[in-house]
C-alpha cells in the first residue's frame, strides 16, 4: 500500500507501532510496518543498547524513536531543587494509606527521592536532549515527540540528520502549532487512545487535522487495532495509522502478566481518562488506583506532571511486583495506559501476526466497500 | 449504493437523518436518504399533522419516526402524582437564581406544573404508545426507539404492520439486549454523538456491535457529518449511517437562530456530556447552563429523568426566547444537543445539498482508498 509517507519511509504498510518493547518494534518493522520505540524509560546509555539490538534485528528496515518532551512541565520542579522534596506530605501519606488499605506487601522501597531526580531529568526537555543525541546516532527513520511542540533544537538536529519529526496532537489548534514548530508528520490522536489524550474522537479529529495541515501527512491514532479500523482511519484522509494498545497483549510485549490478564478480560467500558498516573489526563485501565485518586474521599487529588508521575511510578513498581505474586489488593490497584480498543484484545498473539491480520482485514474492508458502491 | 438495509427500505443511499424538523426529514428522503422524525416534542394529534405533511411531500419515498422510550424512568415520577410536585424547592430556586444572575428577562412564565404533566406523559412508555399508534397509521418505513429496549408492545405492533424497529445503543451489551427484545436494526452510537450517549467512541464501538449482533444490520452514529466519515463508518462494517447534528445548521432546521449561530462558531472542543438537560448524560453545546449545573458552587446537581428534562426545557423555552431577542446573559445560557462534529458545521446549507455532498465525498474517499491499495 502506497501513501506519501510509506514511500518516504520506505515501508510496505503504513502501520506504525508505538511500543516500549524493542521486540515489538523489531517484529513490526520486520513484518512490513514501522516500529517506534518509546524511549522515556531509558537513560541515554540504555537507549543506545536497545537501538543497537534493534539495528541488528531489522537488517536496515526502518524504525523510529519516540521521546516524551512535555511542553508545560512546572519549571520550578526542575530548577535545581531535588524533585522529591516537592512532593507534599499528604500525597506521600495517601500512597502509604493506599498500600495499607489494599495490603500491598513486599520489600520496603527505597525512598521516593532516590530515583526521583534521574526520573524527572528524563522527562524534562534537557533530559530528552540526551536521548535525541543517542537516537540520531542510529539509522532511525523518524523521531517523534509525544507531548507539546518539538523543541527547536530537536527539530534542528533531526533536520540536519535528515530524519523527519512526528508530533502527536489532540486538537486542530495543536496540529497547526506543531507544524509551525517544524513537525513533518502529524499524529492526530483521538480521545479513545491510551496514554495522554484529549477529548475529541478520532473520527471527528482526523479529517479536521488533515484539512488544517495539508499537505503535511497525518497519521490517525486512537481506536485502531484492526484492519477495519485502519481502513476507516484512511477513509478519513489519514496516510497511515499509529497504534499502541494493540501491542500490549502480544507475545513480545513486556506488559506484566497480571496487567496483561486484566487487559484480556477488560471491555471497552473499562478505561478512564485520569490524572492519577502522570498528572495530565491519560487514558488507562480503570483500577482501584484511578478510582481512589479521582474519587476517593481521602484523596488529596493528583499533582501536576512530572510530580504525579514520580509518585505513581514509584508506587506502581511495588504494586506490580505484588500483583505478579498474586496479592489480591495489588491486583485491584495494578493497571497501565491503554485505549478503548482494550475490549477487542482477547487473545495473546505474536506482533507479526497482528500486522498480517490487519493487512488482511484492511483488504477485506476495502473489498466490501467496493461491493457496496457497485 | 446497496446494503441489505438500503435494499430493504428501498433507498438509494443509506444515510439516515434524525431530525425534529419535518422539512429536514422530507428533504433528506427526497434526496435519496432516509429521514427520521423525532416525535418526542409532539402530542399524538400534532404528530399526525406532521406525518400527513411529510406524506404529501415525499411521494411515497420512505421515511421513519423516532420515539423516546426511556427504559428507566423513575416509576414514582409517573405514578399518578402531579410530576411538578416532585421537583424539589432548591432546584426551582437554582433556576430562579440562574435567571437572575444572567439577567434573563421576558414575560413571566406559566408555573412549571402547568405543562409538566403532559410533558412527562409523553416521555413515559404509555405516552410513547399514543405516538406509536399514530405513526403506524402512516406509511412509515422504520420506527426507532432512542432509549432503552423497545417495549414488547411496540415491537408487536410494528411487526404486525411490517415495519422494522431500530434501537440506539452505546455498548455491545445493550446491542445484544435490544436484539433479544426484537430490534431489527441496531444504531451503534459513539460518545462523540449529540444527545444521550455512552462513553465508547464510534470507531471502537461499531465493529464490536457489528460482530456481536450479526446478521442484524448496524448503522453507525456519532462523529459522522461528511462523506469521509460515512466511508469510515462503513469500512467498520456499518450498513449505513445515522446523523443528527449535521442537520441542525441546515436551512430547513428550526434551530433557534441564536443557537444556530453558536453552532456555526463552535469548535469540536465546545461540547460536553452533561446531565443538566435531561437527567441522563447527553452531549450538547457547552454553555453557562451546563457549567452552572455541573460545576457551579450553588448547584444542587441535576435531577434524574424526566424531572431534570422538565426543569431544563421549561427554563430553556424562556432562555431561548430571550437569546433570540439578543439578551447577552441568555445567549450565554442558550444551547442544544449537538455532537463533536459541531466543529465541522461552519455554513448554513440546504439539507439536500448536505446529502449530495456526502454522497460525492463518499465516492472520493473510496477512490482514494483504492488508489492507495493499488
Amino acid at each position: 500500500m502506497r501513501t506519501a509517507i510509506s514511500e518516504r519511509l520506505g515501508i510496505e504498510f503504513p502501520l506504525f507501532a508505538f511500543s516500549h518493547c524493542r521486540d515489538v518494534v523489531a517484529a513490526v518493522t520486520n513484518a512490513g510496518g514501522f516500529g517506534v520505540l518509546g524511549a522515556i524509560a531509558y537513560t541515554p546509555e540504555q537507549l543506545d543498547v536497545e537501538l543497537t539490538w534493534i539495528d541488528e534485528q531489522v537488517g536496515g528496515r526502518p524504525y523510529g524513536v519516540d521521546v516524551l518532551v512535555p511542553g508545560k512541565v512546572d519549571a520550578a520542579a526542575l530548577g535545581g531543587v531535588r524533585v522529591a522534596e516537592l512532593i507534599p506530605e499528604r500525597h506521600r501519606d495517601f500512597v502509604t494509606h493506599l498500600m495499607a488499605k489494599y495490603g500491598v506487601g513486599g520489600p520496603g522501597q527505597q525512598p521516593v527521592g532516590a530515583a526521583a531526580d534521574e526520573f524527572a531529568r528524563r522527562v524534562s526537555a534537557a533530559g530528552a536532549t540526551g536521548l535525541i543525541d543517542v537516537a540520531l546516532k542510529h539509522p532511525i527513520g523518524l523521531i517523534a515527540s509525544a507531548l507539546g511542540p518539538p523543541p527547536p533544537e530537536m527539530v534542528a538536529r533531526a533536520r540536519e540528520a535528515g530524519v523527519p519529526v512526528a508530533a502527536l496532537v489532540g486538537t486542530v489548534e495543536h496540529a497547526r502549532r506543531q507544524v509551525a514548530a517544524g513537525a513533518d508528520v502529524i499524529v492526530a490522536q483521538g480521545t479513545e487512545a491510551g496514554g495522554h489524550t484529549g477529548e475529541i474522537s478520532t473520527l471527528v479529529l482526523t479529517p479536521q487535522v488533515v484539512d488544517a495541515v495539508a499537505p503535511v501527512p497525518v497519521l490517525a491514532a486512537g481506536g485502531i487495532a484492526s484492519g477495519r479500523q485502519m481502513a476507516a482511519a484512511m477513509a478519513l484522509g489519514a496516510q497511515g495509522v499509529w497504534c499502541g494498545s494493540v501491542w500490549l497483549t502480544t507475545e513480545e510485549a513486556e506488559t506484566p502478566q497480571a496487567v496483561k490478564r486484566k487487559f484480556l478480560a477488560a471491555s471497552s467500558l473499562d478505561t478512564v481518562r485520569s490524572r492519577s498516573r502522570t498528572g495530565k489526563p491519560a487514558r488507562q485501565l480503570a483500577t482501584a488506583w484511578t478510582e481512589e485518586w479521582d474519587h476517593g474521599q481521602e484523596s488529596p487529588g493528583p499533582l501536576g506532571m512530572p510530580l504525579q508521575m514520580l509518585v505513581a511510578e514509584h508506587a506502581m513498581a511495588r504494586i506490580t511486583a505484588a500483583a505478579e505474586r498474586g496479592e489480591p489488593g495489588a491486583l485491584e490497584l495494578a493497571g497501565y495506559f491503554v485505549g478503548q480498543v482494550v475490549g477487542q484484545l482477547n487473545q495473546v498473539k505474536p506482533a507479526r501476526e497482528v500486522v498480517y491480520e490487519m493487512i488482511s482485514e484492511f483488504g477485506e474492508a476495502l473489498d466490501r466497500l467496493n461491493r457496496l458502491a457497485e
Side-chain angles (χ1 to χ4, degrees), chain A:
Chain A
M1 187 190 306
R2 278 180 298 176
T3 65
I5 191 143
S6 66
E7 302 257 302
R8 174 161 181 187
L9 297 177
I11 54 178
E12 291 167 44
F13 200 65
L15 167 58
F16 293 73
F18 172 80
S19 175
H20 291 286
C21 170
R22 65 187 190 180
D23 299 78
V24 170
V25 171
V28 173
T29 283
N30 282 330
F34 189 95
V36 180
L37 187 73
I40 177 69
Y42 304 115
T43 62
E45 297 70 29
Q46 288 168 331
L47 180 63
D48 195 38
V49 171
E50 299 297 301
L51 298 186
T52 301
W53 184 89
I54 293 173
D55 291 338
E56 287 163 3
Q57 304 300 311
V58 299
R61 289 186 193 82
Y63 70 94
V65 173
D66 183 290
V67 291
L68 185 79
V69 187
K72 286 183 194 161
V73 166
D74 182 353
L78 301 165
V81 294
R82 298 204 57 230
V83 169
E85 288 164 16
L86 296 169
I87 299 172
E89 198 61 29
R90 61 196 191 113
H91 289 78
R92 293 171 193 265
D93 289 348
F94 185 61
V95 171
T96 307
H97 157 75
L98 285 182
M99 295 301 197
K101 178 172 175 184
Y102 289 87
V104 178
Q109 287 298 107
Q110 56 179 352
V112 75
D117 297 307
E118 167 59 19
F119 190 89
R121 197 188 60 73
R122 277 187 237 163
V123 300
S124 69
T129 304
L131 296 174
I132 292 166
D133 285 342
V134 167
L136 290 174
K137 282 184 198 146
H138 291 264
I140 60 170
L142 185 78
I143 189 158
S145 164
L147 267 185
E153 211 180 275
M154 169 171 164
V155 173
R157 290 191 198 197
R159 282 272 156 77
E160 213 174 297
V163 175
V165 174
L168 271 74
V169 305
T171 68
V172 170
E173 199 39 50
H174 288 172
R176 290 207 180 94
R177 215 181 294 161
Q178 297 275 25
V179 169
D184 303 294
V185 178
I186 295 294
V187 183
Q189 189 184 41
T191 188
E192 55 268 73
H196 294 113
T197 180
E199 294 180 11
I200 308 172
S201 81
T202 301
L203 193 55
V204 174
L205 180 67
T206 305
Q208 289 187 36
V209 171
V210 166
D211 291 348
V213 304
V216 172
V218 173
L219 308 176
I224 304 165
S226 74
R228 278 180 282 182
Q229 287 159 329
M230 181 170 176
M234 296 182 72
L236 297 174
Q239 294 211 357
V241 294
W242 178 277
C243 305
S245 302
V246 71
W247 317 109
L248 294 171
T249 51
T250 58
E251 276 179 21
E252 291 88 345
E254 288 160 6
T255 315
Q257 289 304 318
V259 174
K260 210 183 245 191
R261 279 191 295 270
K262 289 181 84 167
F263 283 171
L264 293 168
S267 88
S268 291
L269 286 170
D270 297 326
T271 73
V272 64
R273 252 178 106 238
S274 167
R275 296 181 193 268
S276 64
R277 185 108 185 199
T278 70
K280 288 180 185 283
R283 190 174 298 281
Q284 54 200 285
L285 200 65
T287 64
W289 175 271
T290 60
E291 182 62 24
E292 291 279 5
W293 276 96
D294 295 342
H295 305 293
Q297 282 200 342
E298 286 146 37
S299 172
L303 297 163
M305 179 183 273
L307 294 182
Q308 184 66 21
M309 205 168 185
L310 197 53
V311 169
E313 292 310 315
H314 188 261
M316 273 296 161
R318 191 166 155 201
I319 289 165
T320 305
E324 292 290 62
R325 291 191 302 271
E327 294 183 20
L331 282 167
E332 287 184 63
L333 291 165
Y336 192 65
F337 306 107
V338 76
Q340 290 186 337
V341 294
V342 72
Q344 301 167 224
L345 310 178
N346 305 318
Q347 212 186 329
V348 175
K349 293 173 188 173
R352 189 186 59 243
E353 200 175 311
V354 173
V355 176
Y356 293 155
E357 283 181 4
M358 283 182 75
I359 295 176
S360 158
E361 200 187 278
F362 181 96
E364 289 162 22
L366 187 52
D367 288 347
R368 186 162 30 76
L369 273 182
N370 280 315
R371 280 195 305 274
L372 298 183
E374 266 166 14

